[in-house]
Amino acid sequence: MATGRDVAERAGTSTAVVSYVFNNGPRNVSPATRERVLRAAAELNYRPNALARALSAGKTLSVGLIVPDIANPYFGEVSRALETAATARGRLLLIADSAGSEEQELQQLSSFIERRVDGIVLVSVSDDPQLGFVAEAGIPIVALHPLDLDQPASSLTIDYDHAAEEATQHLVGHGYRTIGLLNGPTDSAGSRQHAAGFTRAILRSPGVQASERRSETSRGDAARVALQWLASGDRPRAIYVATDEQAFGVLYAAAELGLHVPDDVAVVGFDGTAHSRYAVPSLSTVQQPIPELATRAIEVLIAAEDAHVHETLPHRFVARRSCGWHAEVAG
Amino acid sequence: MATGRDVAERAGTSTAVVSYVFNNGPRNVSPATRERVLRAAAELNYRPNALARALSAGKTLSVGLIVPDIANPYFGEVSRALETAATARGRLLLIADSAGSEEQELQQLSSFIERRVDGIVLVSVSDDPQLGFVAEAGIPIVALHPLDLDQPASSLTIDYDHAAEEATQHLVGHGYRTIGLLNGPTDSAGSRQHAAGFTRAILRSPGVQASERRSETSRGDAARVALQWLASGDRPRAIYVATDEQAFGVLYAAAELGLHVPDDVAVVGFDGTAHSRYAVPSLSTVQQPIPELATRAIEVLIAAEDAHVHETLPHRFVARRSCGWHAEVAG
DNA sequence: CTGAAAGCGCTTACAG
DNA sequence: CTGAAAGCGCTTACAG
């Protein structure tokens, strides 16, 4: 491939000028020279080498993202929103999939450090990820989930605890007397908050019975757990599910068992993926502010102040058919 | 951040030796020296700069992927499979989302060229993408969809035409006499093959009536189109849908209208996403060989022979509840 | 407005 | 087994 030197020679100028032209600075170039450079570059099909540029300029203008499963629509939507936000700020987003593996997550963090990304957006598979070595490298991190305050990273989340309480309260309001919680697989900060909010709503409601199960964050495993649960003697009348992805598995299990949602069992999900609206039946859910999370995450990384930021963004409960309403709420 | 020079100084050796240690070659290093280098590196938290390495060594060991919508589960699964395949071959996968925009796709191709990726896996938004400039840059491309043979790129696909015929034939075999095709939005090579196979199966079946609609490749738009179609006087008894994503929209529309799948309307999808199995009801579909496509794509890019490759991989029709079977076929 | 030159942090023949 | 040095392709003070 042609280099800046090739272009400079053909245009009868120096590599410095070629750089000035392609970066619109930091020095001015006369229109005639600029014209010659651009012509030569076009003739040679010149593409500046981004690696050399980054090495020399000391910045890569790129942001890394690590998610546990890019095939999960929620993370897909998050990725898409981050790509939009990053592009709007002139950054390239690099997406990596840790495949639910802590080891792979660590490798990808390393890889991002080695590539000198300007910042990292992380959805960790771990409840308490080791981020010290990233901080030592001087690369800011923002997690899109609750994080211990002593971690060397920022976090942006919604208030899981209150959202869980609100959603559970909504089910109580429908008059359901037995309510289940299908939580995530591990004892993480997130799952504790789901449980805390759920429990608070239950305790406040005399006569309401609670039960809890766990499953992996996948349709398949949620379906497996729900098939047993819903076929058992202590089938709950309503279930609050910690992720949409698991809720889809519950809807599937109910249908397989010939149970009607919401008449036999009501379901509420969490995340507010675009798909939740088109579930059968459409899924009531807690809507995460995905575009806002993405925009703010990129902002935080670009600002990269010394202090870490821990912000809570507003969520929204969206009632649809699956919880018992027979008309979608406005919006 | 510490550099190789810092490590060399602390270890009392040269940067060359540091490089030899971290790359396990190309020269041997005595155990004692290696030990000193590793210790110094650990103390300094040294991370080799991948940009400098790539610039110097002339290879980035990275592969770019561009998909039209990372939030679409099919592309999510493809991304995940490619990440696995790339990692297995020691390459880093960079994922970009063109957001359905031809212009953005071109920018991302440019960005990948500038980053000197070793190869690009492309799912284009365009029927006839302009790839000449990528080929001129010496970067091999493999498309995961049909491509004109005069394009300067390889392609890996299944036989859409026969798969469509087979799926339609399956619906005919159920005895359905009115069969619809819900195709993709544009007149692309893919949509032509869907239509060709569909039509062939219909023409071979006397007395079967066909109809066709189009929608965007999204649940939402497919639902919009299907709501009209299924509520109209000429509602087909069965529908062959060009993507799972659109088929989910059709399932939603049927449920909204109080129609039972498959008793009122049968549905067959296309792609074989993991989600298809857990749809309500579980979705009959044409299974793309996602892991095989991914593995082969990375192989083709790494081999990077002069000749372009155009391969057809085997697909598999999977009958589930949505087409009228009431038991899932083995597998 | 333009050019010669140093430097970014590596890798790799080359010489010893 | 090890080191000095050139080079990868850019950017950017510095000097003119």
Side-chain angles (χ1 to χ4, degrees):
Chain A
M1 280 190 70
T3 68
R5 166 168 299 278
D6 299 329
V7 174
E9 276 176 14
R10 177 176 268 256
T13 182
S14 69
T15 60
V17 167
V18 173
S19 171
Y20 300 153
V21 168
F22 271 81
N23 294 304
N24 287 315
R27 300 280 161 263
N28 279 328
V29 176
S30 74
T33 309
R34 162 180 304 266
E35 190 53 43
R36 288 207 317 281
V37 167
L38 289 176
R39 181 190 311 273
E43 287 166 355
L44 294 172
N45 192 31
Y46 171 64
R47 306 268 160 176
N49 183 323
L51 283 67
R53 183 202 298 245
L55 179 61
S56 178
K59 55 191 169 194
T60 59
L61 294 181
S62 62
V63 171
L65 166 68
I66 305 179
V67 293
D69 179 9
I70 190 67
N72 177 324
Y74 173 63
F75 298 128
E77 288 180 36
V78 167
S79 304
R80 191 160 227 234
L82 279 166
E83 166 115 28
T84 302
T87 301
R89 301 295 298 265
R91 265 68 176 182
L92 185 78
L93 182 74
L94 309 180
I95 306 171
D97 181 333
S98 62
S101 152
E102 211 163 324
E103 185 191 337
Q104 202 163 326
E105 180 180 305
L106 280 171
Q107 281 184 349
Q108 286 162 338
L109 285 170
S110 281
S111 171
F112 280 153
I113 295 176
E114 288 167 11
R115 286 173 182 263
R116 303 294 193 267
V117 296
D118 299 326
I120 295 175
V121 181
L122 175 65
V123 181
S124 179
V125 303
S126 164
D127 185 32
D128 192 30
Q130 293 166 27
L131 304 178
F133 74 108
V134 185
E136 279 180 42
I139 297 180
I141 299 187
V142 48
L144 297 186
H145 48 72
L147 208 60
D148 277 355
L149 292 184
D150 55 0
Q151 283 274 15
S154 297
S155 71
L156 255 40
T157 72
I158 63 173
D159 187 336
Y160 283 62
D161 185 312
H162 276 98
E165 181 178 5
E166 198 177 322
T168 308
Q169 189 62 49
H170 184 92
L171 291 172
V172 169
H174 274 287
Y176 306 131
R177 314 305 289 169
T178 53
I179 304 184
L181 162 64
L182 179 58
N183 211 338
T186 58
D187 183 47
S188 66
S191 70
R192 277 193 297 275
Q193 293 194 28
H194 280 295
F198 173 82
T199 304
R200 194 149 2 89
I202 296 292
L203 290 179
R204 198 195 300 120
S205 313
V208 172
Q209 301 273 337
S211 53
E212 179 178 354
R213 301 287 163 99
R214 289 180 179 277
S215 84
E216 299 293 324
T217 311
S218 72
R219 279 168 220 227
D221 198 54
R224 182 185 62 75
V225 170
L227 279 169
Q228 291 184 345
W229 200 4
L230 296 179
S232 71
D234 59 339
R235 173 177 95 220
R237 178 63 185 80
I239 305 182
Y240 166 71
V241 190
T243 67
D244 282 357
E245 190 65 13
Q246 287 163 284
F248 295 140
V250 174
L251 295 183
Y252 169 82
E256 280 295 300
L257 294 170
L259 297 172
H260 188 274
V261 176
D263 295 344
D264 296 315
V265 56
V267 178
V268 167
F270 196 102
D271 281 339
T273 52
H275 292 170
S276 64
R277 177 167 188 167
Y278 298 104
V280 177
S282 64
L283 182 68
S284 303
T285 187
V286 173
Q287 176 78 53
Q288 299 239 27
I290 297 179
E292 291 79 8
L293 282 169
T295 305
R296 187 72 188 118
I298 299 296
E299 270 177 11
V300 167
L301 291 179
I302 290 181
E305 279 132 29
D306 296 337
H308 294 131
V309 156
H310 295 280
E311 292 176 10
T312 304
L313 279 70
H315 61 268
R316 193 163 61 87
F317 181 78
V318 180
R320 297 205 183 99
R321 288 196 196 278
S322 72
C323 69
W325 282 35
H326 285 249
E328 181 165 330
V329 161
Chain B
M1 282 190 66
T3 68
R5 166 168 300 277
D6 299 330
V7 174
E9 277 175 13
R10 176 175 269 256
T13 182
S14 68
T15 60
V17 167
V18 173
S19 171
Y20 299 153
V21 169
F22 272 81
N23 294 303
N24 286 314
R27 299 278 161 265
N28 279 328
V29 176
S30 74
T33 309
R34 162 179 305 265
E35 192 52 45
R36 289 207 317 281
V37 167
L38 289 176
R39 180 190 313 272
E43 287 165 356
L44 294 172
N45 193 29
Y46 171 63
R47 306 268 160 177
N49 183 322
L51 282 67
R53 183 203 297 250
L55 179 61
S56 177
K59 55 191 169 194
T60 60
L61 296 180
S62 62
V63 170
L65 167 67
I66 305 178
V67 294
D69 179 11
I70 191 67
N72 176 324
Y74 173 63
F75 297 128
E77 289 181 34
V78 166
S79 303
R80 190 161 228 233
L82 280 166
E83 166 115 26
T84 301
T87 301
R89 300 295 299 266
R91 265 69 176 181
L92 184 77
L93 183 72
L94 309 179
I95 306 172
D97 182 332
S98 62
S101 152
E102 211 162 325
E103 184 190 339
Q104 202 162 328
E105 180 179 305
L106 281 171
Q107 282 183 348
Q108 286 162 335
L109 284 170
S110 281
S111 170
F112 280 153
I113 295 177
E114 288 167 11
R115 285 172 182 264
R116 303 296 193 264
V117 296
D118 300 326
I120 295 173
V121 181
L122 175 66
V123 180
S124 179
V125 302
S126 163
D127 184 33
D128 192 31
Q130 292 166 27
L131 304 177
F133 75 109
V134 185
E136 279 180 42
I139 297 179
I141 299 185
V142 47
L144 297 186
H145 48 71
L147 208 60
D148 277 355
L149 293 184
D150 55 0
Q151 283 273 17
S154 296
S155 71
L156 254 37
T157 73
I158 63 173
D159 187 336
Y160 284 60
D161 184 312
H162 276 96
E165 181 178 3
E166 200 177 317
T168 309
Q169 188 63 49
H170 184 91
L171 291 172
V172 170
H174 274 287
Y176 306 131
R177 314 305 288 168
T178 53
I179 303 183
L181 162 63
L182 180 58
N183 211 338
T186 57
D187 184 46
S188 66
S191 70
R192 278 193 297 275
Q193 292 192 30
H194 280 295
F198 174 82
T199 303
R200 196 150 359 91
I202 296 292
L203 289 180
R204 199 195 299 118
S205 313
V208 172
Q209 300 272 338
S211 54
E212 180 177 354
R213 300 288 162 99
R214 288 180 180 277
S215 85
E216 300 292 325
T217 311
S218 73
R219 280 168 219 229
D221 199 55
R224 183 186 61 75
V225 169
L227 279 169
Q228 291 184 343
W229 199 5
L230 296 178
S232 72
D234 58 340
R235 173 177 97 220
R237 179 63 184 78
I239 304 183
Y240 166 71
V241 190
T243 66
D244 282 357
E245 190 65 14
Q246 288 162 284
F248 295 139
V250 174
L251 295 182
Y252 169 81
E256 281 294 302
L257 294 170
L259 297 172
H260 188 273
V261 176
D263 295 345
D264 296 314
V265 56
V267 178
V268 167
F270 196 102
D271 280 340
T273 53
H275 293 169
S276 62
R277 177 166 188 169
Y278 298 102
V280 177
S282 64
L283 183 68
S284 303
T285 187
V286 173
Q287 177 77 52
Q288 298 239 28
I290 297 178
E292 290 79 7
L293 283 168
T295 305
R296 186 72 187 117
I298 299 296
E299 270 178 11
V300 167
L301 291 179
I302 290 180
E305 278 131 29
D306 298 337
H308 295 130
V309 156
H310 295 280
E311 292 176 10
T312 305
L313 277 70
H315 60 268
R316 194 163 61 87
F317 181 78
V318 180
R320 297 203 183 100
R321 288 196 197 279
S322 72
C323 69
W325 281 35
H326 285 249
E328 181 166 328
V329 161

